[in-house]
Amino acid sequence: MKIFVDSADVEEIRKLWRLGFVSGATTNPSLVAKAGGDPKDIYEELASFLEHVSAEVVAEDADGMYREGKDLSSIHPNIVVKLPFTEEGLKALQRLKAEGVRVNMTLVFSPAQALIAARVGADFVSPFIGRIDDIGYSGMEVIRNTVRIFALYDINTQIIAASVRHPTHFIEAALSGAHISTVPPAVLWKLLKHPLTDIGLERFLSDWRKVQEAKVA
Ligand code: E4P
């Protein structure tokens, strides 16, 4: 499973990328608004060091989505256009695919939506785990069933486990066979930490220091 950062905060993403395990980022209008600044600069900068940067359209009609999608994809070859799973989004998806633009279908909440998006040509689908859990259903089940359906029919569309809220979501997405998990920075920092790593290192170093001190004495 590849690991993406779910954020538009360039500095935070760069910090995580420097550790070597992040290969992409997914943004959305809320995240870009929170980051501030010119969205085009954010996408351009992220795409200069990441292989995948999802940039979402804000138009609600297919013509507008198509035009925005074309503009976004012209910023950098690593930009993937994010379209919402709506009827207009499906129309825009067909037009963008016909022109070779890579698309990530977002706001996917069921395996049926994922299958339809894949059949229309989406390169990526993003089921939102956390938001499904929030309304009392199982987000992970949507991931598991989508993985199964895509395997049964040899579908190449990649599944991005999105709306990840905690480390357990991340591990379960990996076990379920999601191709990618897009994870907020706060959760990624938690994944790096384990109390036994800190305790273990402290013990190794103190044992080492004791021997060195004994040699000197
Ligand atoms: C996916 O690409 C979205 O940015 C996303 O994961 C939104 O998740 P949220 O439910 O935490 O807003």
Side-chain angles (χ1 to χ4, degrees):
M1 184 176 76
K2 286 188 181 180
I3 304 168
F4 289 1
V5 189
D6 197 23
S7 171
D9 180 337
V10 178
E11 280 328 300
E12 186 83 350
I13 295 168
R14 205 190 287 277
K15 263 193 234 161
L16 286 156
W17 170 75
R18 285 202 183 102
L19 303 180
F21 63 90
V22 163
S23 56
T26 53
T27 66
N28 64 41
S30 311
L31 292 171
V32 172
K34 188 173 156 207
D38 183 344
K40 188 172 177 255
D41 292 344
I42 294 177
Y43 303 142
E44 206 163 19
E45 205 170 337
L46 290 175
S48 70
F49 61 96
L50 295 170
E51 70 182 37
H52 174 131
V53 178
S54 276
E56 188 162 344
V57 302
V58 288
E60 290 175 73
D61 63 300
D63 284 342
M65 288 181 192
Y66 167 77
R67 277 195 302 274
E68 257 190 76
K70 286 286 285 179
D71 283 354
L72 290 168
S73 69
S74 72
I75 295 173
H76 193 285
N78 294 352
I79 301 281
V80 175
V81 174
K82 233 175 164 189
L83 297 175
F85 187 94
T86 58
E87 291 175 27
E88 293 301 297
L90 292 174
K91 289 182 203 161
L93 169 59
Q94 294 172 66
R95 291 173 64 187
L96 288 169
K97 284 317 297 173
E99 300 196 20
V101 174
R102 288 190 300 156
V103 173
N104 171 5
M105 215 64 183
T106 190
L107 291 171
V108 165
F109 293 94
S110 73
Q113 288 180 323
L115 176 57
I116 290 166
R119 283 305 184 211
V120 179
D123 302 273
F124 303 87
V125 288
S126 293
F128 277 33
I129 308 170
R131 294 196 198 182
I132 298 170
D133 290 355
D134 287 346
I135 59 158
Y137 293 91
S138 166
M140 212 48 70
E141 199 161 310
V142 172
I143 298 288
R144 276 194 296 272
N145 288 339
T146 304
V147 168
R148 259 183 86 194
I149 292 167
F150 284 13
L152 273 174
Y153 299 103
D154 257 333
I155 292 170
N156 290 326
T157 303
Q158 303 224 338
I159 300 162
I160 305 181
S163 188
V164 165
R165 300 273 167 79
H166 45 71
T168 309
H169 272 158
F170 174 80
I171 290 303
E172 285 183 2
L175 287 169
S176 303
H179 302 91
I180 298 157
S181 184
T182 189
V183 185
V187 177
L188 284 175
W189 291 118
K190 279 187 199 159
L191 291 172
L192 294 173
K193 284 277 159 210
H194 197 290
L196 291 179
T197 305
D198 298 340
I199 292 167
L201 182 61
E202 211 180 298
R203 198 174 297 161
F204 284 155
L205 294 181
S206 97
D207 288 346
W208 178 260
R209 274 191 298 268
K210 268 183 232 151
V211 173
Q212 301 309 307
E213 280 158 19
K215 274 189 199 160
V216 174

